[in-house]
Amino acid sequence: MKKRIIVIALCVFSLPALAQRVTELKTDKEKLSYSLGVNIAQNLKQQNMDKDLDVKIFNQAMNDVLSGTKLVFSEDSISKFMNRYISIKREEYTKKIKELGEKNKVIGQKFLEDNKKKKGVITTASGLQYEILTKGKSVGTPKPEDIVKVKYEGRLIDGTVFDSTQNNNNGEAIEFPLNRVIKGWTEGVGLMTKGSKYRFFVPSDLAYGEREAGTKIEPNSVLIFDIELIDFKAAPKDDASEAK
């Protein structure tokens, strides 16, 4: 987080403010200026820094640097302030993530306790839960070092879809080494035969744990995956050796 904020702070002093609203970009200089402005603003929003920002003073600071005007706030003062600001924001972020993780852990545990009582749901020794939607007719299951080919959809327990081959791979199956994904996938897909479709309920400790993942998966989130095992094969010897 610190590195990203510093990069943003440095970028702030590289762009002039627009004197009036522009509705059409004609030159490369205009397009570059606007593109960089959008990137900076998006980064500020992602860091939740936009709420702390006074746009008028922000623009003045850029103009002061670019025009060589004496700074209202010295560079030494800026450095000290930014270090303090970053420290405060880091503490706030850490506290928020911890509280969110604790809340999600309670919610997730209750969900799994209730879910395992449902007809057709099987719970493994690790706590992974699954139900068989379609049973493949073939025999044999993939080993952790095998390459699997699957179609899938991932959801949060509130039904929010955060990933799927339908949305992110034009509906086509994807291939990957089974031992290079979250633990819940390695164990779960390892139970499937070719042609099967299972629904997995993955406890947070078999998913991303206390970490966030992307913009939708919060700390200690239970994840639900519908996975169809299209095929699997042994990994090339070099890849298998490397994985070990």
Side-chain angles (χ1 to χ4, degrees):
M1 181 178 179
K2 180 176 179 180
K3 184 180 292 185
R4 290 185 65 184
I5 294 178
I6 291 174
V7 170
I8 293 170
L10 293 173
C11 289
V12 164
F13 302 111
S14 65
L15 295 172
L18 295 175
Q20 59 185 9
R21 174 142 186 95
V22 173
T23 58
E24 183 180 2
L25 305 174
K26 298 179 179 179
T27 67
D28 285 348
K29 182 177 181 179
E30 290 175 345
K31 293 174 182 177
L32 174 64
S33 298
Y34 194 82
S35 298
L36 289 174
V38 168
N39 287 339
I40 291 173
Q42 289 176 336
N43 281 325
L44 288 169
K45 287 180 72 67
Q46 289 174 0
Q47 299 294 328
N48 293 320
M49 294 173 67
D50 57 310
K51 298 175 183 177
D52 298 337
L53 191 67
D54 184 314
V55 177
K56 182 179 178 180
I57 295 176
F58 179 90
N59 289 338
Q60 178 186 321
M62 290 192 289
N63 282 326
D64 285 350
V65 171
L66 294 169
S67 65
T69 302
K70 182 179 179 181
L71 299 180
V72 178
F73 204 30
S74 69
E75 291 188 25
D76 183 58
S77 296
I78 289 172
S79 178
K80 291 178 180 178
F81 172 80
M82 288 303 296
N83 285 336
R84 181 170 64 85
Y85 177 85
I86 291 167
S87 177
I88 292 172
K89 286 297 178 181
R90 185 187 296 113
E91 290 177 4
E92 291 177 351
Y93 175 78
T94 301
K95 181 180 178 181
K96 175 186 174 183
I97 291 299
K98 183 179 179 181
E99 291 175 348
L100 194 57
E102 291 173 350
K103 175 183 176 182
N104 288 336
K105 190 170 184 177
V106 173
I107 293 173
Q109 288 175 340
K110 184 178 187 310
F111 172 84
L112 292 170
E113 281 296 318
D114 293 340
N115 192 64
K116 72 179 182 181
K117 300 173 185 176
K118 293 181 179 179
K119 183 179 179 180
V121 174
I122 302 168
T123 304
T124 71
S126 70
L128 177 69
Q129 297 179 2
Y130 69 94
E131 57 180 316
I132 302 172
L133 304 180
T134 303
K135 184 67 174 178
K137 296 180 180 180
S138 64
V139 296
T141 57
K143 298 185 290 295
E145 62 270 19
D146 285 347
I147 305 293
V148 297
K149 184 176 184 180
V150 304
K151 291 183 178 181
Y152 70 91
E153 178 182 87
R155 303 185 301 280
L156 305 178
I157 59 177
D158 66 2
T160 300
V161 176
F162 59 83
D163 192 15
S164 72
T165 46
Q166 181 63 42
N167 294 335
N168 298 328
N169 203 46
N170 297 316
E172 298 295 325
I174 62 170
E175 289 187 345
F176 53 86
L178 188 53
N179 57 2
R180 295 185 184 177
V181 288
I182 59 173
K183 293 178 181 179
W185 269 59
T186 303
E187 178 184 353
V189 178
L191 300 172
M192 302 174 70
T193 57
K194 186 168 66 172
S196 295
K197 186 173 182 179
Y198 284 22
R199 177 167 295 155
F200 295 100
F201 306 90
V202 185
S204 60
D205 61 322
L206 298 179
Y208 297 99
E210 298 180 350
R211 297 181 290 119
E212 288 183 298
T215 58
K216 295 183 179 179
I217 301 177
E218 297 177 346
N220 287 332
S221 291
V222 171
L223 306 180
I224 303 173
F225 290 98
D226 288 353
I227 303 176
E228 180 181 1
L229 180 60
I230 306 298
D231 201 0
F232 64 91
K233 60 186 178 182
K237 290 185 178 181
D238 290 344
D239 289 351
S241 299
E242 182 181 339
K244 293 178 181 179

